[in-house]
């Protein structure tokens, strides 16, 4: 809970720093604050605490995901500092990001549907603005508008679902709903199932699972690269953690009613996103489809729900987020002014900046799931969960689609090492980005070599 | 006073409320999907949210539980914030394109 206070405080501080003209110290304070938030969260480990008459509950699941979000946010700030300082009003944008992080923490720690709704909205409303932060750019305008439209449309579905579930159970509290739902005779079962399905639709929009993904590639492509990185890491983590928390605790008792739907969504997500990603020219759009595909792999744990599902997800999101941040940092440096580059922009990168090419290779291999990197073990654990629950067909399909994934990730790797380019000027990266790349690189390798650091945590 | 309102709400069968708000919600969804004018799409989203509000109030009265009505306030406040941001985005688009027809937003392929 202290983390929520720190994050909100940082947001307000960042607004005030514009007034008092202390912008220079803002960035170090934000980094320190995020580190402190993560530390305070980890100190609450193993002590389940409820706040505000059981509106938020910080159990181990919530603590692990909020700490993860704070740490990924720290990496993200290192990536985006230059962009915001050069192009926009840095304080406003930092404040928006920090407030949206508060929403993300709500989304992983809610124990009341009102908090789920508020968390999603706090996160999304800030992001609509961030997506459109290049005011003169029509692409960015369009991304913001589509994101806004789809976001509020999805919220409508989520709310209608919440209203129906409230109608049947008479409460918004997750524990009470879980008890009522588990009772042998529920009043109006059809209303309840309609409510559960509508909440699923609303949340599937947020995690951009097929067939509710169509907004994602456009929004990811149109937004500034740093905002895209934020959306495909932190927003994804928060939305998926919220989805999983709701269905694994609240509606686990009626899983027979929704598990088939989730399975269909999972299969569609895996197949459609991986195949579409192959046909993308823009690297950013390819990464967008790859992030949709990763939502599919995460959904497998919900289909094959058992007691190790949540630690498998935690490991997956951490490995995915570190690799993604690294990939987006490099894309940002390679593309620079021109936001939407094709794979040709990576031609001969190994001659222009060998370290960047190496980091990109590791990041993409980790996303593709090649041993011994973190991404491989993340997929491996998820497949193990599914295998133990008897979903052999789903595992085979997921392995097949990740082979397709290897194909489109390798296109960039091949471009970097084997193709030559007319431009041979070396690319200079800021010191901060080099530090960030080293951190992501180490994280991908160390977590791959020693997955036990995270995997048995929750 | 309070009792009277609850009784008045309960004077109509719950089914009617559910059908009415479902109808409003579906009209809103269809509007979002088929209308091309951004302002009307905003109105349709509001219609969806208000259908939810109606449903929550009806359930709240039938359960004799206040939390549903409190939730309605949350939805109203958030919807207002959301529309403020949405209209701001729309104004930026209008500055760049001089129209509110969403068909101009086709730079990124769907």
């Amino acid at each position: 809970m202290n983390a929520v206070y720190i994050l909100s405080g940082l947001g307000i501080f960042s607004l005030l720093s514009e007034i008092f003209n202390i912008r220079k110290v803002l960035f170090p304070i934000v980094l320190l604050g995020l580190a402190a938030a993560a530390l305070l969260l980890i100190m609450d480990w193993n002590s389940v605490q409820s706040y505000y008459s059981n509106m938020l509950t910080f159990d181990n699941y919530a603590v692990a995901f909020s700490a993860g979000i704070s740490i990924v946010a720290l990496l993200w700030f290192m990536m985006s500092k230059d962009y915001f300082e050069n192009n926009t009003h840095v304080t406003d944008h930092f404040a928006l990001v920090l407030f949206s992080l508060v929403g993300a923490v709500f989304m992983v720690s809610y124990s009341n549907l009102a908090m789920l709704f508020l968390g999603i909205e706090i996160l999304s409303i800030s992001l609509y603005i961030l997506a459109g932060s290049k005011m003169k750019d029509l692409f960015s305008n369009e991304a913001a508008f589509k994101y806004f439209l789809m976001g509020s449309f999805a919220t409508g579905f989520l709310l209608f679902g919440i209203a129906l579930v409230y109608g049947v159970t008479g409460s918004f509290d997750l524990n009470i709903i879980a008890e009522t739902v588990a009772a042998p005779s529920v009043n109006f079962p059809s209303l309840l199932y309609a409510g559960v399905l509508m909440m699923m639709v609303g949340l599937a929009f947020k995690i951009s699972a097929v067939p509710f993904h169509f907004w994602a590639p456009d929004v990811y492509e149109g937004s500034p690269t740093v905002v895209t990185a934020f959306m495909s890491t932190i927003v994804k983590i928060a939305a998926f953690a919220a989805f999983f928390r709701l269905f694994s605790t609240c509606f686990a008792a009626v899983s027979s009613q929704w598990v088939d739907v989730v399975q269909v969504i999972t299969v569609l997500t895996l197949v459609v996103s991986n195949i579409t990603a192959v046909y993308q020219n823009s690297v950013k759009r390819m990464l967008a489809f790859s992030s949709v595909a990763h939502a599919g792999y995460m959904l497998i744990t919900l289909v094959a729900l058992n007691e190790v599902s949540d630690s498998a997800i935690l490991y997956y999101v951490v490995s995915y987020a570190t690799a993604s941040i690294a990939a987006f940092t490099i894309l940002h440096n390679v593309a620079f002014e021109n936001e939407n580059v094709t794979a040709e922009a990576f031609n001969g990168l190994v001659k222009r900046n060998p370290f960047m090419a190496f980091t990109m290779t590791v990041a993409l291999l980790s996303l593709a799931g090649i041993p011994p990197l973190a991404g491989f073990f993340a997929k491996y654990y998820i497949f193990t969960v599914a295998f133990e629950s008897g979903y052999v067909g789903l595992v085979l399909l997921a392995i097949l689609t990740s082979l397709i994934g290897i194909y489109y990730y390798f296109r960039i790797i091949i471009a970097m090492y084997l193709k030559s380019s007319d431009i041979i000027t070396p690319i200079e990266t800021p010191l901060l980005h080099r530090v960030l790349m080293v951190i992501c690189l180490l994280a991908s390798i160390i977590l791959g070599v020693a997955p036990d650091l995270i995997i048995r945590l929750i | 006073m309070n009792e009277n309102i609850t009784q008045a709400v309960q004077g109509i069968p719950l089914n009617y409320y559910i059908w009415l708000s479902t109808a409003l919600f579906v009209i809103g969804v269809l509007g979002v999907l088929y209308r091309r004018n951004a302002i009307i799409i905003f109105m349709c989203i509001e219609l969806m949210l208000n259908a939810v509000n109606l449903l929550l109030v009806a359930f709240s009265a039938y359960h004799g539980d206040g939390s549903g009505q409190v939730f309605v306030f949350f939805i109203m406040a958030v919807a207002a914030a959301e529309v403020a941001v949405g209209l701001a985005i729309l104004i930026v688009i209008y500055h760049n394109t001089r129209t509110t027809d969403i068909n101009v937003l086709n730079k990124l392929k769907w």
Side-chain angles (χ1 to χ4, degrees), chain B residues 35-87:
Chain B
R35 296 307 290 259
R36 299 284 90 185
N37 185 309
I39 305 274
I40 298 199
I41 292 176
F42 278 18
M43 286 164 60
C44 291
I45 287 174
E46 288 300 302
L47 195 61
M48 287 166 68
L49 296 183
N50 281 318
V52 173
N53 287 348
L54 179 67
L55 194 60
L56 278 171
V57 169
F59 280 138
S60 170
Y62 268 84
H63 284 303
D65 171 44
S67 55
Q69 293 173 32
V70 176
F71 203 112
V72 170
F73 278 110
F74 278 120
I75 296 179
M76 284 175 172
V78 167
E82 208 172 52
V83 166
V85 169
L87 286 176

Side-chain angles (χ1 to χ4, degrees), chain A residues 14-57:
Chain A
S14 123
L15 287 176
L16 290 178
S17 69
E18 175 80 43
I19 303 172
F20 296 115
N21 214 356
I22 41 174
R23 263 160 280 164
K24 288 271 182 292
V25 296
L26 177 61
F27 181 69
I29 287 184
V30 166
L31 286 196
L32 277 179
L34 285 169
L39 206 67
L40 282 173
L41 279 164
I42 293 167
M43 278 163 61
D44 281 344
W45 189 254
N46 272 338
S47 65
V48 180
Q49 291 178 37
S50 293
Y51 296 91
Y52 301 121
S53 51
N54 208 18
M55 285 275 175
L56 295 173
T57 304

Side-chain angles (χ1 to χ4, degrees), chain A residues 240 243-244 247 255 258-267 296-306 309 313 385-386 389 391 394:
Chain A
F240 193 81
F243 195 127
F244 186 81
F247 283 88
S255 64
W258 51 261
V259 79
D260 290 338
V261 184
V262 180
Q263 199 171 349
V264 171
I265 292 179
T266 311
V267 170
Y297 294 112
M298 288 188 250
L299 275 172
I300 294 176
T301 53
L302 190 60
V303 176
L305 189 62
N306 64 22
S309 280
I313 288 184
V385 170
S389 304
Y391 289 92
L394 195 60

Side-chain angles (χ1 to χ4, degrees), chain A residues 114 118 121 125 135 138-139 141-142 145-146 148-149 152-153 156 159-160 163 166-167 170 172 198 218 285, chain B residues 25 41-42 45 49 59-60 63 65 67-68 71 74 78 82 85-86 92 96-97 102 105 107-110:
Chain A
L118 282 182
E121 288 304 302
I125 292 180
M135 294 229 296
L138 256 184
F139 288 94
N141 292 168
E142 187 180 340
F145 188 75
K146 278 181 180 164
F148 168 77
L149 205 64
S152 31
F153 193 55
L159 283 174
F160 204 81
Y166 171 70
F172 292 115
M198 291 193 82
D218 292 355
R285 214 173 160 85
Chain B
F25 188 80
I41 292 176
F42 278 18
I45 287 174
L49 296 183
F59 280 138
S60 170
H63 284 303
D65 171 44
S67 55
F71 203 112
F74 278 120
V78 167
E82 208 172 52
V85 169
V92 171
N96 289 338
T97 64
I102 61 165
L105 300 177
K107 298 277 181 294
L108 306 162
K109 54 189 178 236
W110 272 99

